[in-house]
Amino acid sequence: MTIDLRSDTVTKPTQPMIEAIRLAKVGDDVYKEDPTVNALEEKLANFFGMDSALFFPTGTMANQAAIKLHTQPAEQLIADKWAHVFNYEGGGVSFNSGVSCKLIDGNRGMITASQIEENINPPDFYHSPLTSLVCLENTTNKGGGACYSVAEMQAINELCKKNNLGLHLDGARIWNAIIANNEDPRQYGEIFDTISVCLSKGLGAPMGSVLIGNSEIMKNAMRIRKVLGGGMRQVGFMAAAGIYALDNHLERLEEDHKKAKEIAQALAKQPYVKNVEPTETNIVIFYLQTDISEEKFLKDLLKKNIKISSMGQGKLRIVTHLDYTNEMHDMFLTTLTNYSK
Ligand SMILES: *Cc1c(COP(=O)(O)O)cnc(C)c1O
């Protein structure tokens, strides 16, 4: 048995999910004739109280399409220095949209309205790039699953409106924030112009992301998805997995959060651990004491068939998920407690 805690993307479809995939009614989605894709898009548009949604193969492509919808070449977006759109999308911001990033030194991947305000280039000052978009991430990935407060996101929305800036949410793990803080998803629809969500993370579908927005901004989304190579045909099979996941795997995220908190508490007690960051959702970030070799620690865990990730600069990451069972959890906690270098 392998205990794989590197990411919540490692889950395999459950038997009932495979059954939902098998039974899906499909059609050619490039002609918009796949009933299951259409149903998923409608379901998610309603979920966030918006009027349009589009299925994408990956979260990266959904984010990249959103950035293209909001910007013109030579313009600039504002994001936290740890943002996925800047760090983990292969430089696509410049490749796909010809846009630069103004990075803010935020707190656990989150930035404030006043930090954003200080970083908007004056629109009349034509020497600097025109600021046109703000990208937030909720929950934050590199920031350890941290969640924005609704009040901060509302303040950022007001600032963006005042300054004529688009506001995009990279909501790969928005589900975790909604469940952890018992939020009404329609608030997100009121705050953001566009929202990307992943079905392939905590929800446990094999693939798929959806970009949600209002029809005015989304008019061009089909064209951009086509340009990026993301127009797919009988992809209702994968949309069926997404619908199944939304109906059956959303509420249970609470269990992943509980296990992550228990791991964080166990780690905090270990003499070999220097620091554990606050654990709000399903991601635990921690640092080893300086006299412990990170490489050896990871190898020792691997000998017990336990996988976790290193994010560089001494940062270690554990992500709980659907396939991390109670039995695995007990074994992992015991391993952490008994570990000595
Ligand atoms: C996983 C993730 C994405 C999208 O990743 P894909 O692997 O392209 O689906 C986007 N943003 C964040 C914060 C993520 O964690």
Side-chain angles (χ1 to χ4, degrees), residues 7-9 57-63 82-85 88-89 137-142 170-173 196-201 208-209 283 317:
S7 174
D8 46 10
T9 54
T58 65
T60 296
M61 197 188 282
N63 280 335
W82 287 345
H84 195 280
V85 294
Y88 300 121
E89 300 188 1
E137 207 170 291
N138 200 28
T139 71
T140 63
N141 178 344
K142 213 176 174 186
D170 177 351
R173 293 191 180 80
S196 64
V197 301
C198 285
L199 303 164
S200 53
K201 302 264 164 95
S209 279
I283 303 178
R317 188 184 79 167

Coordinates of all heavy atoms in Angstrom, one line a residue, residues 7-9 57-63 82-85 88-89 137-142 170-173 196-201 208-209 283 317, ligand 1:
S7 N -0.2 15.2 -3.6 CA -1.2 16.2 -4.2 C -2.6 15.5 -4.1 O -2.7 14.3 -4.1 CB -0.8 16.5 -5.6 OG -1.9 17.3 -6.2
D8 N -3.6 16.4 -4.2 CA -5.0 15.8 -4.3 C -5.3 15.5 -5.8 O -6.5 15.2 -6.1 CB -6.0 16.8 -3.7 CG -5.8 18.2 -4.1 OD1 -5.0 18.5 -5.0 OD2 -6.5 19.1 -3.5
T9 N -4.3 15.6 -6.7 CA -4.6 15.2 -8.1 C -4.3 13.7 -8.3 O -4.6 13.2 -9.4 CB -3.7 16.0 -9.0 OG1 -2.3 15.8 -8.6 CG2 -4.0 17.4 -9.0
P57 N -10.0 21.3 -20.6 CA -9.3 20.0 -20.2 C -8.5 20.2 -18.9 O -8.3 19.3 -18.2 CB -8.3 19.7 -21.4 CG -8.2 21.0 -22.2 CD -9.5 21.7 -22.0
T58 N -7.9 21.4 -18.7 CA -7.1 21.6 -17.5 C -7.4 23.0 -16.9 O -7.9 23.9 -17.6 CB -5.6 21.6 -17.9 OG1 -5.3 22.8 -18.7 CG2 -5.1 20.4 -18.6
G59 N -6.9 23.1 -15.6 CA -7.1 24.4 -14.9 C -6.1 25.4 -15.5 O -6.4 26.6 -15.6
T60 N -5.0 25.0 -16.0 CA -4.0 25.9 -16.6 C -4.7 26.5 -17.8 O -4.6 27.8 -18.0 CB -2.7 25.1 -17.0 OG1 -2.1 24.6 -15.8 CG2 -1.8 26.0 -17.8
M61 N -5.3 25.7 -18.7 CA -5.9 26.3 -19.9 C -7.0 27.2 -19.6 O -7.2 28.3 -20.2 CB -6.3 25.2 -20.9 CG -6.6 25.8 -22.3 SD -7.3 24.6 -23.4 CE -6.0 23.6 -23.9
A62 N -7.8 26.9 -18.5 CA -8.9 27.8 -18.1 C -8.4 29.1 -17.6 O -8.9 30.2 -18.0 CB -9.8 27.1 -17.1
N63 N -7.3 29.1 -16.8 CA -6.7 30.3 -16.3 C -6.2 31.1 -17.5 O -6.3 32.4 -17.6 CB -5.6 30.0 -15.3 CG -6.1 29.7 -14.0 OD1 -7.2 30.1 -13.6 ND2 -5.3 29.0 -13.2
W82 N 3.5 34.0 -5.3 CA 3.4 32.5 -5.4 C 2.3 32.1 -6.3 O 2.0 30.9 -6.4 CB 3.1 32.0 -4.0 CG 4.3 32.0 -3.1 CD1 5.6 32.2 -3.4 CD2 4.3 31.9 -1.6 NE1 6.4 32.2 -2.3 CE2 5.6 32.0 -1.2 CE3 3.3 31.6 -0.7 CZ2 6.0 31.9 0.1 CZ3 3.6 31.5 0.6 CH2 5.0 31.6 1.1
A83 N 1.6 33.0 -7.0 CA 0.5 32.6 -7.8 C 0.8 31.5 -8.8 O 1.8 31.4 -9.5 CB 0.0 33.8 -8.6
H84 N -0.2 30.5 -8.9 CA -0.1 29.4 -9.9 C 0.1 30.0 -11.3 O 0.9 29.5 -12.1 CB -1.3 28.6 -9.8 CG -1.2 27.2 -10.5 ND1 -1.3 27.1 -11.8 CD2 -0.9 26.0 -10.0 CE1 -1.2 25.8 -12.1 NE2 -0.9 25.1 -11.0
V85 N -0.7 31.0 -11.7 CA -0.7 31.6 -13.0 C 0.7 32.1 -13.4 O 1.1 32.0 -14.6 CB -1.7 32.7 -13.3 CG1 -3.1 32.2 -13.2 CG2 -1.5 33.9 -12.3
Y88 N 3.4 28.2 -12.2 CA 3.2 26.8 -12.6 C 2.5 26.7 -13.9 O 1.9 25.6 -14.1 CB 2.5 26.1 -11.4 CG 3.3 26.1 -10.1 CD1 2.7 26.6 -9.0 CD2 4.6 25.5 -10.0 CE1 3.4 26.6 -7.8 CE2 5.2 25.5 -8.8 CZ 4.7 26.1 -7.7 OH 5.3 26.1 -6.5
E89 N 2.5 27.7 -14.7 CA 1.7 27.6 -16.0 C 2.7 27.8 -17.2 O 2.3 28.2 -18.2 CB 0.5 28.5 -16.0 CG -0.4 28.0 -14.8 CD -1.8 28.6 -14.8 OE1 -2.2 29.4 -15.7 OE2 -2.6 28.3 -13.8
E137 N -6.0 33.7 -5.9 CA -6.1 32.3 -5.8 C -6.8 32.0 -4.5 O -6.4 32.5 -3.4 CB -4.7 31.8 -5.8 CG -4.5 30.4 -6.3 CD -2.9 30.1 -6.4 OE1 -2.3 30.7 -7.3 OE2 -2.4 29.3 -5.7
N138 N -7.8 31.1 -4.5 CA -8.5 30.7 -3.3 C -9.0 29.3 -3.5 O -9.8 29.0 -4.4 CB -9.7 31.7 -3.0 CG -10.2 31.6 -1.6 OD1 -9.4 31.4 -0.7 ND2 -11.4 31.9 -1.3
T139 N -8.5 28.3 -2.7 CA -7.5 28.5 -1.7 C -6.1 28.7 -2.4 O -6.0 28.3 -3.5 CB -7.4 27.3 -0.7 OG1 -6.9 26.2 -1.4 CG2 -8.8 26.9 -0.2
T140 N -5.1 29.1 -1.6 CA -3.8 29.3 -2.2 C -3.1 27.9 -2.2 O -3.2 27.1 -1.3 CB -2.9 30.3 -1.5 OG1 -2.7 29.8 -0.1 CG2 -3.6 31.6 -1.4
N141 N -2.4 27.7 -3.3 CA -1.7 26.4 -3.4 C -0.3 26.5 -2.6 O -0.2 25.8 -1.6 CB -1.5 26.1 -4.9 CG -0.7 24.8 -5.1 OD1 -0.1 24.3 -4.3 ND2 -0.8 24.3 -6.3
K142 N 0.6 27.3 -3.2 CA 1.9 27.4 -2.5 C 1.8 28.0 -1.1 O 2.6 27.9 -0.3 CB 2.8 28.2 -3.4 CG 4.3 27.8 -3.3 CD 5.2 28.6 -4.3 CE 6.6 28.1 -4.0 NZ 7.6 28.9 -4.7
D170 N -8.5 32.2 -9.6 CA -8.1 30.9 -9.8 C -8.6 30.1 -8.7 O -8.1 30.0 -7.6 CB -6.5 30.9 -9.8 CG -5.9 29.5 -10.0 OD1 -6.7 28.5 -9.9 OD2 -4.7 29.4 -10.2
G171 N -9.7 29.4 -8.9 CA -10.4 28.6 -7.9 C -10.2 27.2 -8.1 O -11.2 26.4 -7.9
A172 N -9.0 26.8 -8.4 CA -8.7 25.3 -8.5 C -9.2 24.6 -7.3 O -9.8 23.5 -7.4 CB -7.2 25.1 -8.6
R173 N -9.0 25.2 -6.1 CA -9.5 24.6 -4.8 C -10.6 25.4 -4.1 O -10.6 25.4 -2.9 CB -8.3 24.3 -3.9 CG -7.4 23.2 -4.4 CD -6.4 22.8 -3.4 NE -5.5 21.7 -3.9 CZ -4.4 22.0 -4.7 NH1 -4.1 23.2 -5.0 NH2 -3.7 21.0 -5.2
S196 N -12.1 30.2 -12.4 CA -11.8 28.9 -12.9 C -11.8 27.9 -11.8 O -11.4 28.2 -10.7 CB -10.4 28.9 -13.6 OG -9.4 29.1 -12.6
V197 N -12.4 26.7 -12.0 CA -12.4 25.7 -11.0 C -11.9 24.3 -11.6 O -11.9 24.1 -12.8 CB -13.9 25.4 -10.5 CG1 -14.5 26.7 -9.9 CG2 -14.8 24.9 -11.6
C198 N -11.3 23.5 -10.7 CA -10.8 22.2 -11.1 C -11.7 21.1 -10.5 O -12.1 21.1 -9.4 CB -9.4 22.0 -10.5 SG -8.1 22.9 -11.4
L199 N -12.0 20.1 -11.4 CA -12.7 19.0 -11.0 C -11.8 17.8 -10.6 O -12.2 16.8 -10.0 CB -13.7 18.5 -12.1 CG -14.6 19.6 -12.6 CD1 -15.2 19.2 -14.0 CD2 -15.7 19.8 -11.6
S200 N -10.5 18.0 -10.9 CA -9.5 17.0 -10.8 C -8.7 17.1 -9.6 O -7.7 16.3 -9.4 CB -8.6 17.1 -12.0 OG -8.1 18.4 -12.1
K201 N -9.0 18.0 -8.7 CA -8.3 18.1 -7.4 C -9.1 17.4 -6.3 O -9.4 16.2 -6.5 CB -8.0 19.6 -7.1 CG -7.2 20.3 -8.2 CD -5.7 20.4 -7.9 CE -4.9 20.8 -9.1 NZ -4.6 22.2 -9.2
G208 N -10.4 17.8 -16.0 CA -11.4 18.8 -16.3 C -11.4 20.0 -15.4 O -11.3 19.9 -14.2
S209 N -11.6 21.1 -16.0 CA -11.8 22.4 -15.3 C -12.9 23.1 -16.0 O -13.3 22.8 -17.2 CB -10.5 23.2 -15.4 OG -9.6 22.7 -14.4
I283 N -4.2 21.2 2.8 CA -2.8 21.3 2.6 C -2.1 21.6 3.9 O -2.5 22.5 4.6 CB -2.5 22.4 1.5 CG1 -3.3 22.1 0.2 CG2 -1.0 22.5 1.2 CD1 -3.1 23.1 -0.9
R317 N 5.3 19.8 1.7 CA 3.9 19.9 1.5 C 3.2 18.5 1.6 O 3.7 17.5 1.0 CB 3.6 20.5 0.2 CG 2.1 20.8 0.0 CD 1.7 21.4 -1.3 NE 1.6 20.4 -2.3 CZ 1.1 20.5 -3.5 NH1 0.7 21.7 -3.9 NH2 1.1 19.5 -4.4
Ligands
LIG1 C1 -3.8 22.6 -10.0 C2 -4.0 24.1 -10.0 C3 -4.3 24.7 -11.3 C4 -4.5 24.0 -12.6 O1 -3.7 23.0 -12.8 P1 -3.9 21.9 -14.0 O2 -2.9 20.9 -13.6 O3 -3.5 22.6 -15.2 O4 -5.3 21.4 -14.0 C5 -4.5 26.1 -11.2 N1 -4.3 26.8 -10.1 C6 -4.0 26.2 -8.9 C7 -3.9 27.1 -7.7 C8 -3.8 24.9 -8.9 O5 -3.5 24.3 -7.7

